[in-house]
Amino acid sequence: MKDFLKELFAGQQYNENNFFLIAGPCVVESETLVMDIAKKVFEICKRLQIPYTFKASYRKANRTSGDSFTGIGDEEAMQLLKKVKEKFSIPVTTDIHTAEEAAVAAQYVDVLQIPAFLCRQTDLLLAAARTGKIVNVKKGQFVSGEAMKFASNKIIKAGNDKVILTERGNSFGYTDLIVDYRNIPIMKNHGVPVVMDCTHSLQQPNQSSGVTGGNPQMIETVAKAAIATGADGLFIETHPDPSCALSDGANMLKLDLLEELLKKLIAVRKAVL
């Protein structure tokens, strides 16, 4: 495990041979939801000795419809991320969309996430790098794993070698995605940890309804394949009732299913080590 990841998870007891997990709701919906999900996932990961980072977007800037929910307010949402960090002594992450957001979000979170469709935005990558935080760049739906070396190199050349790359599928027609698992070892060859986004890779974007669809029944398949092909970590958005989620509910994992899935993935990890 990279030194910066060991430092990130220093406050947790875990099996270093395990994959790490980034998980939480798509967006901060309320204090009750955020704290309940964080508590349950934290307890599961503690039992299974999986290093854990809590994830929730403080604001959703990338919505299909102008009528879609974007957030409860930036400051309130960021304060809740900070509360999760302090209550459970775990790292937290959120995504940023502009260079100006980087320094602000860095005051609250441990990992800055760059959305897939912004992975080529040089000013955003450099601003994230300058915060000194870990920067997790999601691979664009239009980008190869090989080309992601340019994204990671921008951050490293800015003086920050704490980079993670995340695979989240490639566009397949107008309303579907497909995962090319060659991208996992290819991106690992860039010398950075690689994460598989097991939920966004199952999105069905650009629906005529204005609401993104998904195939959550395939989350286990995607996750198993990712572990088998060498992913260092997994990204899974989860919610107690995805049908009621205010963002990306169509591709989320129901929270009650998480623990059994993780147990299966630990078995896969042991088999391929």
Side-chain angles (χ1 to χ4, degrees), residues 19 31 42 72 90 117 126 130 189 192 199 203 206 241:
F19 54 87
E31 179 171 356
F42 168 73
I72 61 174
I90 55 175
F117 69 102
L126 296 183
R130 286 192 288 267
N189 285 338
V192 300
T199 45
Q203 284 182 330
N206 305 317
D241 185 357

Side-chain angles (χ1 to χ4, degrees), residues 40-56:
K40 183 158 187 178
V41 181
F42 168 73
E43 290 172 347
I44 291 170
C45 288
K46 186 175 181 180
R47 285 195 295 272
L48 300 180
Q49 296 187 312
I50 295 173
Y52 173 47
T53 296
F54 177 83
K55 180 269 168 186

Side-chain angles (χ1 to χ4, degrees), residues 45-84:
C45 288
K46 186 175 181 180
R47 285 195 295 272
L48 300 180
Q49 296 187 312
I50 295 173
Y52 173 47
T53 296
F54 177 83
K55 180 269 168 186
S57 298
Y58 74 90
R59 170 162 43 91
K60 296 300 292 183
N62 50 324
R63 305 309 310 274
T64 302
S65 169
D67 297 326
S68 295
F69 177 79
T70 58
I72 61 174
D74 292 358
E75 178 63 22
E76 184 178 354
M78 286 187 180
Q79 287 292 347
L80 288 177
L81 292 173
K82 182 180 179 182
K83 185 172 182 178
V84 168

